[in-house]
Amino acid sequence: MLHLQPVAFLLTLLIIRIIFEFEKLSIEGELNDSPTSKALINSLPIEGISQIWGDEIYFSTSISKENDEWAKETVDLGDIAFWPPGNAICLFFGPTPMSKGDEIRPASATNVMGKIIGDLEELKTINSGDYLKVVLG
């Protein structure tokens, strides 16, 4: 029979929410239990300047992580990910310039950290150069 410490068990049930606060809107995200998500949580709050690449918003951070077991060459609609070559957090709300067919393809493998919760269409109103802040939800 498996015995878990009560606190450790409860922590595995918690959903960690973050908020991306842009100049024009705020949108929530839910993080997974990956090492990169934990690095993000430990760095909050963070600020950045939005960059747009197709239907992806990304911004550089001070977080430095290599690809982990959550790394993927293609991502799903609404994924929140970390791109190690640019130390950047990425929000995927549609195809990128490298996508083929129905796939969503980052520039290279990204560590998937969670999902955007909310209307992904709103992210199309964000422009390169827009300020954002990421805080615990």
Side-chain angles (χ1 to χ4, degrees), residues 61-78:
T61 70
S62 61
I63 299 168
S64 180
K65 288 296 245 181
E66 296 300 319
N67 285 120
D68 61 25
E69 66 271 16
W70 295 78
K72 292 171 62 180
E73 293 287 337
T74 60
V75 297
D76 295 326
L77 188 66

Side-chain angles (χ1 to χ4, degrees), residues 13-46:
L13 297 177
L14 290 178
I15 295 173
I16 304 296
R17 288 201 174 204
I18 57 173
I19 302 170
F20 295 90
E21 298 176 342
F22 295 93
E23 295 173 28
K24 302 173 187 174
L25 63 98
S26 292
I27 195 160
E28 287 190 29
E30 290 182 350
L31 297 180
N32 60 31
D33 193 34
S34 70
T36 309
S37 293
K38 291 173 185 172
L40 171 60
I41 292 164
N42 290 329
S43 299
L44 294 177
I46 59 173

